[in-house]
């Protein structure tokens, strides 16, 4: 969460109103505003290029704390919220294929979901092919990504992740 700072020596003419908080902030729910509560899941990213080209592969790594998990990018509707990874700036680059995990998710069946649940725990690396737009310096660029999903405890408590910014470098 980001908090707006206020000068300690504000004059009477300056506004001393507090910043507006979302309902999630007011209730103390972590994970709103694109962040996470604590480090239940951390993210990093990198990309590799085919030598002499604008094409390559981008990898996003998610590492979860013990007893926490994320859901797969292929989680079917009728289950928990699936993980979604998108490019932030589609003018800079485009995905040329889907994100695929380095390890298959654990499949579990719960009576309250209509479909099998696909969970990743520990760590997972999702990789997808991509291509930079013409004119982008592929070696020096930063590739912006956005992750949306949720990180959940094995006992059922979940923290939403909304538009978590991740930057991939060469």
């Amino acid at each position: 969460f980001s908090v707006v700072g206020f000068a300690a020596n504000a004059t009477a003419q300056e506004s001393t109103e507090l910043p507006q908080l979302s309902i999630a902030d007011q209730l103390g729910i972590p994970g709103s505003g694109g962040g996470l509560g604590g480090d239940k899941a951390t993210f990093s990213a990198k990309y590799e290029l085919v030598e002499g080209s604008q094409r390559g592969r981008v990898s996003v790594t998610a590492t979860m704390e013990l007893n926490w998990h994320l859901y797969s990018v292929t989680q079917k509707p009728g289950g928990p919220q699936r993980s979604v990874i998108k490019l932030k700036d589609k003018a800079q680059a485009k995905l040329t294929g889907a994100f695929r995990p380095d390890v298959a998710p654990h499949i579990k069946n719960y009576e309250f979901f209509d479909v099998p649940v696909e969970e990743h725990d520990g760590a997972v690396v999702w990789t997808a092919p991509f291509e930079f737009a013409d004119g982008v310096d592929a070696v020096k660029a930063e590739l912006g990504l956005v992750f949306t999903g949720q990180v959940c405890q094995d006992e059922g408590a979940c923290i939403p992740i909304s538009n978590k910014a991740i930057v991939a470098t060469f």
Side-chain angles (χ1 to χ4, degrees):
F1 302 106
S2 60
V3 178
V4 177
F6 293 93
N9 58 358
T11 65
Q13 278 92 22
E14 293 176 319
S15 173
T16 57
E17 282 186 43
L18 294 175
Q20 292 294 317
L21 298 175
S22 71
I23 188 69
D25 293 332
Q26 292 173 15
L27 294 174
I29 298 172
S32 59
L36 286 172
D39 291 317
K40 306 303 180 203
T42 56
F43 297 87
S44 62
K46 66 179 182 175
Y47 66 86
E48 304 168 329
L49 295 168
V50 173
E51 192 170 336
S53 77
Q54 296 288 88
R55 294 177 292 115
R57 295 183 314 181
V58 59
S59 298
V60 175
T61 301
T63 305
M64 285 69 66
E65 281 188 5
L66 185 64
N67 299 320
W68 288 83
H69 58 268
L70 294 167
Y71 298 104
S72 77
V73 294
T74 56
Q75 176 62 55
K76 295 190 178 4
Q81 182 181 1
R82 73 182 175 103
S83 295
V84 177
I85 306 166
K86 295 182 179 181
L87 288 175
K88 190 172 183 176
D89 183 0
K90 293 180 182 165
Q92 178 191 28
K94 67 178 178 180
L95 294 176
T96 57
F99 277 96
R100 303 277 183 229
D102 64 335
V103 60
H106 303 289
I107 306 298
K108 295 184 178 178
N109 292 297
Y110 295 100
E111 60 189 45
F112 43 86
F113 288 123
D114 297 333
V115 297
V117 174
E118 303 174 6
E119 299 177 356
H120 291 287
D121 57 15
V124 59
V125 180
W126 289 290
T127 303
F130 79 100
E131 184 173 5
F132 278 116
D134 290 339
V136 173
D137 186 336
V139 174
K140 293 181 181 176
E142 290 187 341
L143 189 60
L145 301 150
V146 177
F147 180 92
T148 299
Q150 58 185 352
V151 59
C152 297
Q153 279 184 319
D154 293 342
E155 291 78 31
C158 293
I159 300 171
I161 305 169
S162 180
N163 297 316
K164 171 77 175 162
I166 308 166
V167 176
T169 56
F170 180 68

